[in-house]
Amino acid sequence: MHESEDGSGQDDSGTLEAVIDTARYPLRERRSAAWDEVVGAARAELGRDGCCVLRGFIRPELLEALRTEGVALAPKAYYRVERVNAYNIPLDADLPPDHPGRIVLERGNAFVARDLIPPEALIQILYGSPLFRRFLADCFELPALHEFADPLAGLCLNVVSPRMSHPWHFDTNEFTVSMLTQSPEDGGIFEYCPGIRSPRAENLDDVRAVLTGAGDELVRRLELRPGDLQLFQGRFSLHRVSPVAGNRQRHTAIFAYNERPGVIGTAERTRQLFGRVLPDHLAAAGRSVRGDRLLD
């Protein structure tokens, strides 16, 4: 029996081999030459511009099942068009007149919460895997990763419908893991500005330039395909999904992890994304801790 790399004793290697292309991504073989090559390449890409895409992570014969699961889940998404800013702070926050936080955007994407995703779904199998989590921690050069203890936001499916977008924003976490499960017919491009801010500097002029359309030279565009795994440092990189065109929705699984165990999202943010809160969110109020002093 293979013991999980996080010491849990749970052996999920057989399940992962059925889901992941382990010939390309040897999650069972930590510290092997093949592991070191994949992890080393991911670290290099993340170090270069804060983003890495592991192409063909899911076995090709499962891509239709991955898409079908997302299509079945999408109608359960909480949908609400909102006026927001890139920092996800109140629009009436006390900011200088020229602050980019005063630029109002429209958020029209929707989220399916984790408690609505069945345990047999491919994305649930991946999310709960200790071996997958150990692999991600090594890619991000972290000693360990823990599941986001939030019962709604730990794993979710992001849904962007035609003529909608996920506007420019920063992430709360320093790192994000996601996987496209269905491409739109057109549009829905992932756009990002690597390292546009740092833990020590907001770089407001550059952020304002991107939000007003004057900073295109700061923007990179990434073509994602279903089954590709994306690792991203979204706390410091402004990013968005451009408006979706055609008749097909864009679906993306978002896997949320933390360096500390037991982390729960705030009630305010949870209600904004999912339209509801649970007792766990109310009990966690006031326990949120930030590792930097950035605006959001």
Side-chain angles (χ1 to χ4, degrees):
M1 173 177 175
H2 296 282
E3 182 173 326
S4 70
E5 291 287 356
D6 67 351
S8 68
Q10 179 179 343
D11 178 18
D12 62 355
S13 57
T15 303
L16 280 189
E17 285 202 346
V19 175
I20 295 171
D21 186 348
T22 50
R24 298 176 66 182
Y25 303 106
L27 268 65
R28 286 194 302 117
E29 301 168 21
R30 193 179 183 211
R31 301 186 182 92
S32 67
W35 172 288
D36 289 345
E37 181 179 355
V38 171
V39 170
R43 289 178 175 182
E45 287 188 50
L46 287 167
R48 213 162 32 241
D49 69 358
C51 184
C52 168
V53 179
L54 302 176
R55 301 290 185 185
F57 196 78
I58 296 293
R59 290 187 175 277
E61 62 269 24
L62 293 181
L63 293 180
E64 180 57 24
L66 186 71
R67 188 194 70 81
T68 300
E69 288 178 353
V71 170
L73 288 170
K76 300 178 181 180
Y78 173 70
Y79 176 76
R80 178 182 173 187
V81 176
E82 286 190 289
R83 297 171 75 246
V84 298
N85 54 40
Y87 300 95
N88 286 309
I89 60 174
L91 296 181
D92 60 356
D94 185 15
L95 300 172
D98 63 344
H99 195 288
R102 287 188 171 273
I103 297 173
V104 178
L105 310 167
E106 185 177 276
R107 185 176 70 81
N109 59 322
F111 292 92
V112 179
R114 184 181 185 182
D115 63 351
L116 300 177
I117 302 174
E120 67 273 12
L122 294 173
I123 57 176
Q124 281 277 25
I125 292 170
L126 269 183
Y127 181 67
S129 162
L131 289 174
F132 181 56
R133 196 162 61 243
R134 177 67 266 169
F135 171 73
L136 295 174
D138 275 15
C139 288
F140 284 114
E141 299 186 70
L142 298 171
L145 281 178
H146 303 272
E147 287 188 21
F148 191 27
D150 193 296
L152 302 184
L155 169 70
C156 59
L157 185 76
N158 179 239
V159 178
V160 186
S161 294
R163 295 170 295 284
M164 295 297 175
S165 69
H166 193 174
W168 291 110
H169 65 284
F170 292 102
D171 289 340
T172 302
N173 275 7
E174 290 191 16
F175 52 86
T176 303
V177 181
S178 61
M179 178 180 291
L180 190 72
T181 66
Q182 177 170 271
S183 301
E185 291 178 355
D186 198 9
I189 303 298
F190 182 79
E191 301 181 339
Y192 67 110
C193 308
I196 198 170
R197 70 175 182 176
S198 75
R200 295 163 299 281
E202 291 279 9
N203 294 328
L204 299 177
D205 290 344
D206 284 348
V207 174
R208 186 188 310 106
V210 172
L211 297 181
T212 58
D216 195 62
E217 73 280 359
L218 300 171
V219 180
R220 299 189 187 182
R221 294 170 176 84
L222 185 61
E223 180 186 354
L224 296 168
R225 300 186 298 251
D228 292 346
L229 187 70
Q230 182 184 14
L231 313 183
F232 183 58
Q233 293 170 323
R235 180 100 178 114
F236 310 117
S237 297
L238 187 68
H239 54 288
R240 75 166 184 167
V241 174
S242 68
V244 166
N247 297 311
R248 189 166 60 230
Q249 293 177 330
R250 183 188 194 270
H251 297 163
T252 306
I254 301 176
F255 308 88
Y257 299 99
N258 288 92
E259 294 181 66
R260 296 180 294 111
V263 177
I264 302 285
T266 66
E268 179 183 1
R269 182 69 170 146
T270 301
R271 189 175 285 108
Q272 181 186 53
L273 295 179
F274 301 105
R276 56 192 169 107
V277 296
L278 300 178
D280 288 352
H281 301 105
L282 300 176
R287 298 207 308 259
S288 177
V289 177
R290 278 281 180 272
D292 57 55
R293 295 186 177 181
L294 294 172
L295 186 56
D296 64 334

